[in-house]
Amino acid sequence: KNSVKLMGTEIESFGDKKVLRVDLGAVGIQWSAFHEALLDGMKNWDDGSITLYYGHACRNIANLKDVPKVQTTFDCTDEGETKEIVREFDLIIAADGINSRIRSELFDDTPPVPQGRAIFRAVIENSKAEDASEGGELKLPPNKDDQTLLCLRDPKKIVAFLPVSNKETYWAATLHKDADERLAKDGVEAKELLLSAEYEMYPEFQKMVELTPPESIFYNHLKQLEPLETWVNGRVVLMGDAAHAMIPAAGQGVGMAVEDAQQLAVSLAGSKTVEEALIHYDTVRIPRVTQVQIQNAQSARDSYLKKKKETSKLDREAYDRFLFSYPGATVPSSQ
């Protein structure tokens, strides 16, 4: 009930409509629901061996020289009081997002690169989405085909719709905005912008925005991280956005993070040492994710970025096969 199997993508580009990628196994799910499912999985782990710590902020991290351990210093907050705690671990998996402190400290301190674009987004009830769709040219999600919908009627402004459960629909709007350009002071001002003449070419979208509470509208400048040659430093390994944050042009950010997690688990289970597992993980994941990053950048350039230099050797059909025919994690050859 908290996710939807997506059967395809309908694209409307200046009046022309086409459907792509029918039944390729993609799933729409709200991030909060996915996060909750992962958290529940850890809480209910079979042997109860996973301990969750809250209120721990990583201050610094270092690989120890004499033993295969990682030492981490945390600032821990409990009932308003903060204290320092130092812990040692066999392995640190840094999945701390696009602004990863661990990536900056041990790998590359280059900050996320602004892409000259901003995004506004929200999730609303399906009943409101249906009301917005009534009488319009577009059949917005939710629809009987469980398709995402991408609309391009202005090269500088794109809107998209995605069913994320049997009760909710996600909408998003992008526009050109440099990093130093102001967005909005709050949801009220953001809503006013989306309902202004700036987006009058999308009347169905504006109906959906009108039905969206301003406090539900989130917005930010789009940024991404440049590819790294390795995600491993001693016994510290990057995963997800900390390793390969990309802008949402192809919708693969979370998908790549899940693949990372599966591959790391298989690499650790199938290797004789942690070091061997991390080498295998690095070797397997980086080529695939780099290809997705390049394709993502090309899609963004073709659709809504001001300029981008990366080019992919794969056409749309070949890329879909590469992306959606992924066989899953590979087992180290030493097993």
Side-chain angles (χ1 to χ4, degrees), residues 263 266-267 270-272 276-277 280-281 284 330-335:
Q263 182 59 65
V266 171
S267 296
S271 300
K272 296 177 181 178
E276 181 183 300
H280 181 256
Y281 168 78
V284 171
T330 63
V331 178
S333 58
S334 62
Q335 181 167 321

Side-chain angles (χ1 to χ4, degrees), residues 62 69 80 100 119 121 132-133 164 244 252 260 323-324 332:
K69 297 277 187 179
S100 171
I119 188 168
R121 42 191 156 189
S133 180
V164 292
H244 47 71
Q252 288 305 310
D260 291 347
L323 188 62
F324 295 105

Side-chain angles (χ1 to χ4, degrees), residues 84-331:
E84 177 185 296
I85 293 180
V86 179
R87 299 183 186 274
E88 292 183 3
F89 302 94
D90 295 319
L91 174 66
I92 291 287
I93 302 170
D96 51 340
I98 189 172
N99 296 306
S100 171
R101 183 162 190 165
I102 296 174
R103 175 184 169 120
S104 296
E105 188 166 337
L106 294 184
F107 293 85
D108 180 12
D109 61 2
T110 304
V113 181
Q115 300 297 299
R117 201 77 186 173
I119 188 168
F120 297 80
R121 42 191 156 189
V123 173
I124 68 170
E125 298 172 3
N126 281 350
S127 59
K128 293 182 178 179
E130 291 167 350
D131 290 342
S133 180
E134 187 175 352
E137 294 181 14
L138 298 175
K139 177 57 179 175
L140 305 179
N143 52 52
K144 62 181 178 62
D145 297 319
D146 283 334
Q147 294 177 349
T148 61
L149 176 61
L150 180 67
C151 295
L152 174 61
R153 296 175 184 168
D154 182 324
K156 295 184 178 181
K157 304 178 185 70
I158 296 176
V159 298
F161 310 90
L162 170 71
V164 292
S165 76
N166 58 5
K167 295 181 179 180
E168 296 170 312
T169 293
Y170 165 91
W171 61 254
T174 67
L175 74 163
H176 285 313
K177 281 282 186 180
D178 290 326
D180 58 354
E181 290 185 82
R182 181 177 174 276
L183 288 182
K185 66 179 182 180
D186 54 27
V188 173
E189 190 172 310
K191 185 171 181 175
E192 289 175 352
L193 169 64
L194 298 174
L195 292 176
S196 70
E198 287 267 13
Y199 283 89
E200 63 183 3
M201 73 289 297
Y202 298 113
E204 303 93 341
F205 167 70
Q206 288 191 317
K207 288 182 181 179
M208 192 172 283
V209 173
E210 183 65 47
L211 297 171
T212 304
E215 64 272 16
S216 299
I217 301 175
F218 296 89
Y219 49 91
N220 59 276
H221 289 281
L222 290 176
K223 301 178 182 181
Q224 70 179 26
L225 293 171
E226 295 302 313
L228 296 174
E229 293 183 359
T230 180
W231 301 345
V232 177
N233 184 323
R235 288 206 169 198
V236 179
V237 59
L238 300 177
M239 177 185 293
D241 276 357
H244 47 71
M246 59 188 84
I247 58 175
Q252 288 305 310
V254 174
M256 291 299 104
V258 172
E259 288 184 11
D260 291 347
Q262 182 198 33
Q263 182 59 65
L264 183 58
V266 171
S267 296
L268 287 168
S271 300
K272 296 177 181 178
T273 67
V274 171
E275 288 75 16
E276 181 183 300
L278 297 184
I279 291 173
H280 181 256
Y281 168 78
D282 216 30
T283 302
V284 171
R285 288 302 299 157
I286 286 182
R288 175 170 169 80
V289 174
T290 299
Q291 179 62 55
V292 173
Q293 286 179 291
I294 292 173
Q295 191 78 28
N296 184 76
Q298 180 171 311
S299 297
R301 181 203 62 205
D302 292 344
S303 57
Y304 60 66
L305 286 188
K306 292 180 177 179
K307 58 182 178 179
K308 200 65 184 173
K309 63 182 180 181
E310 294 90 338
T311 58
S312 172
K313 296 180 181 179
L314 301 179
D315 60 25
R316 179 80 254 178
E317 184 177 349
Y319 177 63
D320 280 345
R321 288 197 301 270
F322 166 80
L323 188 62
F324 295 105
S325 298
Y326 176 62
T330 63
V331 178

